[in-house]
Amino acid sequence: MRILNGAVQSVNAAALLLGAAGLLSRLLGVLRDRLLAARFGAGGELDAYYAAFQIPDFLNVVFLLGAASAAVLPIFQEYLVKDREEARRLISDLVTIFLAGSLLVAALIFFLAPLIVPFIAPGFSPEKRVLTVTLTRLLLLSPVIFGISNVVSSVVQSFQRFWAYAIAPVLYNLGIILGIVVFVPVFGVAGLAFGVLAGAILHLGTQLLAVRSLGFSPRLGWQGITEGVKKVLKLSFPRVLSVSLSQLTLLILIAIGSTLVEGSISIFQLAQNLYFVPIGIFGISYSVAIFPRLSRVYIGRDARGFFYELFLGIRSIIFWMAPATVLFIVLRAHIVRVALGAGAFSWEDTRLTAAVLAVFSLSLFAGGLVSLLIKGFYALENTWRPLIINIFASVFSVALALIFSAVLGEASGFTQGLANLLRIPDVLDKRVVGLALGFSLGSAVNIWLLYGALKRLARKSFGHDQPLPLGEFLKIILAALVSGLAAYGVRLSFSETLPLITFVRVLVQGATAGVVGLATYFGILLLLKEETVFSLVGTLKRRLFRVGVLPAHWDGELHGPHPHQH
């Protein structure tokens, strides 16, 4: 278990570790979705499964403390500097309060599920609603388990034990795959829920092992609402509302999807899962790696360090999101066919999912940055501003989704032009593309408003701010556009010599075009002497990880050298 106990102290090393684990987790997620698509296709059972997930997912963010790890971490670090035992008691109190509250709410939802599901999936037939209710009830324990895991993960992140944090989602996906392969043949679609629960237990178990090695195992017991708990509740309440709005937006989009042609929910969810692959690998990884450092420099009132860490995160995320955007758009059909094209998943399903993925990809930069910017607000101990912004963005997304799905249901110049652009002119029902359009435009507006508000808050907190180095971003965008053209050229050159009629040919064509595109991207940035690529090469040349166990008395100076010395 020594691997779970090593502290990763370099931002690049931590991000690489989290990114590598994220890549493995996302690849397992793609395998999971391929198995689901092959077995069920884009049809009624898979629609019911994804619809059933909406209530547990919503509870994941409504269950106050389980959704508030970003609020728990700064308070835990404050206690840790002052008194280790007080920090341990804080975590124990939070776990106790969360466990009691979440079990009570889960029990209530269990009995109310038949009344709630018609609002989640108004377009479902009575038979599909019954199946959705059954799956919802089976999945209700997962938010309870994940909530505890999220609370204790604050300890794991504070001590920079990113190994445990990184491995947990890998085990979660393995649990779901176990459900598809082992439980579904025995229990039918209900086996999917058993796999989710198995994965959730593995996720929690990994975090608890790491926390135990640090001496912070939570002990259940009621000590009342302490000052630390009050502070966490105060910070987390707007955080929960903010994240709940994002989840509520997705829930409403799924509800709209239930009124469309059968399979629309499955196509929307499968495309969105692929969209989140680069976000999980790069966006979340850098956000998690930088958040503790943002919190510490704010506690030390180090304005220069705060802006350095923030801009480092933004530049690093854009560095990966830019090529991902162009390559996802250029190679969308190849990605979907390789990831999902098997068994019951038809060629029409593939084309429509590829079109939805292309629309999602337009907002990859926004999806990658949102976690970092929100964590920037939490590092500054302000959780209300992103809530207000999320309210506006959520309403905007839903309104646009309703408008676009209605417009795409009618024959018009806009519908035909968009269908031709996405290569789906002969697909009869294109309305699901409207859901993705609403989501992407809302995400772009959200990130623009979040960045402006964070800059103003930082300027108020420190008395001044620093400008974003736009020159570096122009280099990245230029290289990404050229890499997209290179990948497109390779794809066209294969069209006659290697037609897409077998899995191997699709894989070879897509992989070759992708490799050429990425090689072009990195080559251009090396020629332009872009800082991020040189920093990445330097990290790889040295050692990836600087591992060491922090002493029993944690000291704020142990986070590594000053940010400007990285």
Side-chain angles (χ1 to χ4, degrees):
M1 301 307 299
R2 289 176 61 88
I3 193 172
L4 298 179
N5 300 331
V8 182
Q9 298 183 9
S10 160
V11 168
N12 274 333
L16 281 170
L17 166 63
L18 292 165
L23 174 60
L24 177 58
S25 177
R26 295 292 168 171
L27 289 176
L28 288 173
V30 171
L31 174 61
R32 172 202 67 204
D33 287 350
R34 183 177 177 84
L35 293 172
L36 284 172
R39 186 169 189 91
F40 298 105
E45 287 184 310
L46 200 55
D47 279 355
Y49 169 68
Y50 285 129
F53 243 118
Q54 300 311 305
I55 296 175
D57 279 351
F58 188 69
L59 292 181
N60 265 326
V61 296
V62 171
F63 285 169
L64 195 60
L65 301 177
S69 60
V72 174
L73 190 146
I75 308 304
F76 175 76
Q77 287 189 333
E78 287 183 18
Y79 273 61
L80 198 57
V81 172
K82 299 173 184 177
D83 188 327
R84 183 183 177 90
E85 182 57 27
E86 282 294 318
R88 189 198 61 76
R89 280 199 292 267
L90 172 67
I91 294 299
S92 294
D93 291 343
L94 293 175
V95 169
T96 300
I97 293 171
F98 168 76
L99 183 61
S102 61
L103 285 174
L104 179 63
V105 174
L108 182 64
I109 298 297
F110 182 91
F111 293 105
L112 293 178
L115 301 177
I116 297 173
V117 165
F119 292 97
I120 304 298
F124 278 7
S125 66
E127 294 77 13
K128 283 178 70 173
R129 287 184 184 177
V130 170
L131 176 59
T132 305
V133 168
T134 300
L135 292 174
T136 297
R137 286 172 164 170
L138 291 173
L139 290 168
L140 279 173
L141 276 180
S142 67
V144 177
I145 299 169
F146 273 122
I148 299 173
S149 187
N150 286 339
V151 172
V152 299
S153 76
S154 300
V155 180
V156 176
Q157 293 178 64
S158 290
F159 283 90
Q160 296 173 283
R161 297 301 197 270
F162 292 120
W163 279 104
Y165 188 87
I167 291 171
V170 173
L171 296 177
Y172 172 63
N173 274 321
L174 284 175
I176 299 178
I177 290 171
L178 175 71
I180 299 170
V181 174
V182 177
F183 299 150
V184 167
V186 178
F187 302 103
V189 69
L192 295 176
F194 296 139
V196 170
L197 294 178
I201 292 170
L202 291 171
H203 190 284
L204 172 61
T206 304
Q207 307 273 19
L208 288 177
L209 284 174
V211 168
R212 182 182 179 185
S213 72
L214 293 165
F216 282 88
S217 296
R219 302 170 188 171
L220 298 181
W222 178 249
Q223 301 184 59
I225 305 296
T226 63
E227 193 61 35
V229 170
K230 288 179 182 177
K231 197 167 185 180
V232 170
L233 291 175
K234 181 180 178 181
L235 279 175
S236 62
F237 181 66
R239 154 70 171 165
V240 170
L241 291 179
S242 179
V243 181
S244 297
L245 278 170
S246 299
Q247 188 61 41
L248 183 61
T249 301
L250 181 58
L251 190 150
I252 294 173
L253 294 179
I254 293 295
I256 297 171
S258 75
T259 66
L260 308 181
V261 67
E262 187 171 81
S264 293
I265 292 177
S266 300
I267 286 171
F268 179 86
Q269 193 69 65
L270 289 169
Q272 192 176 60
N273 289 348
L274 290 172
Y275 158 80
F276 276 117
V277 168
I279 292 174
I281 295 171
F282 303 114
I284 303 299
S285 298
Y286 276 99
S287 299
V288 170
I290 289 176
F291 179 47
R293 310 176 81 92
L294 284 173
S295 182
R296 287 179 196 145
V297 293
Y298 173 69
I299 292 171
R301 295 301 184 266
D302 180 2
R304 189 175 174 217
F306 182 86
F307 285 107
Y308 173 86
E309 299 291 356
L310 178 64
F311 292 160
L312 171 65
I314 292 175
R315 189 178 67 216
S316 299
I317 291 170
I318 295 295
F319 175 82
W320 295 106
M321 289 299 110
T325 298
V326 295
L327 293 179
F328 265 45
I329 292 173
V330 171
L331 302 175
R332 59 188 183 274
H334 299 74
I335 293 170
V336 172
R337 198 60 187 164
V338 169
L340 305 171
F345 201 77
S346 68
W347 175 239
E348 183 168 314
D349 293 337
T350 297
R351 294 171 61 213
L352 191 53
T353 305
V356 173
L357 176 61
V359 175
F360 275 137
S361 298
L362 295 173
S363 64
L364 266 174
F365 73 97
L369 289 173
V370 67
S371 178
L372 175 67
L373 296 187
I374 289 178
K375 282 178 167 58
F377 281 99
Y378 299 147
L380 297 176
E381 298 186 359
N382 185 299
T383 52
W384 284 105
R385 294 195 186 190
L387 168 62
I388 296 170
I389 292 170
N390 268 353
I391 291 174
F392 176 81
S394 296
V395 172
F396 188 70
S397 289
V398 170
L400 287 181
L402 284 169
I403 292 170
F404 282 126
S405 60
V407 169
L408 292 176
E410 303 291 335
S412 67
F414 174 79
T415 300
Q416 192 60 42
L418 185 62
N420 290 335
L421 185 64
L422 296 174
R423 305 288 181 87
I424 53 169
D426 55 330
V427 173
L428 296 179
D429 197 315
K430 310 172 184 68
R431 289 176 293 170
V432 68
V433 176
L435 303 184
L437 274 172
F439 177 89
S440 290
L441 290 173
S443 297
V445 168
N446 189 37
I447 209 67
W448 178 63
L449 294 175
L450 281 172
Y451 177 73
L454 180 59
K455 285 275 286 183
R456 289 191 295 272
L457 180 62
R459 182 167 57 245
K460 181 180 179 182
S461 299
F462 296 113
H464 65 91
D465 65 5
Q466 295 180 19
L468 196 66
L470 294 177
E472 296 297 322
F473 294 96
L474 291 177
K475 293 178 185 178
I476 291 172
I477 293 171
L478 173 64
L481 291 174
V482 176
S483 72
L485 291 174
Y488 184 70
V490 172
R491 198 195 79 182
L492 285 181
S493 70
F494 272 120
S495 60
E496 296 296 330
T497 58
L498 199 67
L500 302 179
I501 57 177
T502 67
F503 172 83
V504 172
R505 290 184 178 185
V506 175
L507 178 61
V508 169
Q509 185 180 131
T512 303
V515 168
V516 170
L518 288 174
T520 303
Y521 177 72
F522 285 107
I524 292 173
L525 290 181
L526 283 170
L527 289 174
L528 295 176
K529 298 182 179 179
E530 200 279 327
E531 184 178 343
T532 306
V533 73
F534 277 96
S535 176
L536 181 64
V537 170
T539 299
L540 292 172
K541 279 184 176 179
R542 296 191 302 270
R543 50 181 178 171
L544 290 180
F545 310 113
R546 181 182 173 189
V547 179
V549 179
L550 296 180
H553 180 70
W554 182 86
D555 189 324
E557 295 299 319
L558 290 174
H559 69 271
H562 191 276
H564 306 288
Q565 298 173 349
H566 290 170

